[in-house]
Amino acid sequence: MTDCYFDATLNRIRALVTRPQPEGGKLAERIHQQGGRAFVLPMLSIVALAETQAIRDRVLQLDHYEKVIVISQNAARFGLELIENYWPQRPIHQQWFAIGETTRHTLAQLDVPAVCSRQGNNSESLLALDGFQDITGQRMLLIKGKGGRDFLEKTLRQQGAQVDTLEVYQRLCPDYQPDEVRQQLADHGINVILAGSGETVRNLRQYLPRTLLEHCRLVIPGQRVAGLAESLGFRQVYTATGADHAAMLSVLEKINDETFL
């Protein structure tokens, strides 16, 4: 008889996953597969922006750009759906780039080959690629959500690129009852919360009483978001190397080994 292998590397984890669906459910399933328990309560709602004449005009000018940069997997999904309405065949001789491996993979599933940095999942990593070292005069399109960080756009312009943006979705804070999040933490014995962005952390903070912040273990991606979380009052902040599932799970494995769980 062959022994069954059971992965119990997260057997002490009871996590609250705050990512929007469907990604929240996928991350929760990964936690379950490693012996942990996970419950999904999104702290962001992702909604497509209504198509306007300005959006249509920008899409119709797609062939004017030498580089197209897709900021997130939501930008990939909503952006490609919009582009395919006007471009049954996308322009040739155009380079596509993605922020992070997850976004690149989403584009690949939509038959769009793209390049991403293997060194990180942020704008800084993208800017370190060879293709962004001499960009004076190049026309670039950023496909992104409404608002958000403008570091990439500003830096590209400072380096001489001509940059336009195509905003295809917006992020909203879900409307929960005042005590709903606190009750979820208590009912499920949650000992760690996963948040994938600064905006998620801000929304989460709205639903947590200050008394919980000192005891709440929070896993976030990167030092920038860590600084934000600490400024909002979180005291046990664990920093992952990125927002992808593998990076988050790696931090959970370390937390699982802590004697005070």
Side-chain angles (χ1 to χ4, degrees), residues 51 55-65 68 79-92 94 96 110-112 141 143 166:
E51 188 175 325
I55 288 176
R56 284 191 289 272
D57 290 345
R58 184 59 47 81
V59 173
L60 289 170
Q61 295 173 352
L62 182 64
D63 59 342
H64 293 185
Y65 301 99
V68 179
L80 265 295
E81 181 179 339
L82 181 63
I83 287 170
E84 287 176 355
N85 290 336
Y86 298 93
W87 292 88
Q89 291 186 321
R90 289 183 301 278
I92 59 175
Q94 192 173 62
W96 284 66
L110 297 168
D111 296 322
V112 180
L141 178 67
I143 303 179
L166 175 62

Side-chain angles (χ1 to χ4, degrees), residues 15 30 64 74 84 89 102 115 153 226 230-231 235 241-242 247:
R30 292 284 299 273
H64 293 185
N74 289 311
E84 287 176 355
Q89 291 186 321
T102 302
V115 174
E153 182 180 350
E230 290 168 355
S231 73
R235 291 294 171 259
T241 57

Side-chain angles (χ1 to χ4, degrees), residues 196-247:
S197 69
E199 193 168 1
T200 303
V201 174
R202 288 192 188 93
N203 294 345
L204 175 65
R205 176 62 184 87
Q206 294 182 35
Y207 290 105
L208 292 181
R210 181 168 291 278
T211 53
L212 280 179
L213 300 183
E214 292 186 5
H215 309 290
C216 171
R217 296 180 185 85
L218 182 68
V219 179
I220 48 83
Q223 293 298 328
R224 181 177 60 85
V225 182
L228 171 64
E230 290 168 355
S231 73
L232 291 173
F234 291 93
R235 291 294 171 259
Q236 298 191 53
V237 179
Y238 295 78
T239 305
T241 57
D244 58 284
H245 293 177

Side-chain angles (χ1 to χ4, degrees), residues 28 31 38 54 66-67 70 90 106 119 123 139 141 143 178 200 208 222 225 229 232 247 255:
I31 294 171
E66 298 166 64
K67 288 183 170 69
V70 184
R90 289 183 301 278
T106 301
Q119 306 305 314
S123 299
R139 296 201 64 180
L141 178 67
I143 303 179
T200 303
L208 292 181
V225 182
L232 291 173
I255 294 175

Side-chain angles (χ1 to χ4, degrees), residues 123-153:
S123 299
E124 290 84 350
S125 299
L126 183 83
L127 289 168
L129 293 174
D130 290 342
F132 291 90
Q133 302 313 302
D134 184 10
I135 58 174
T136 301
Q138 291 187 21
R139 296 201 64 180
M140 301 186 188
L141 178 67
L142 270 58
I143 303 179
K144 60 192 290 288
K146 185 176 182 180
R149 192 183 182 205
D150 62 357
F151 170 79
L152 179 59
E153 182 180 350

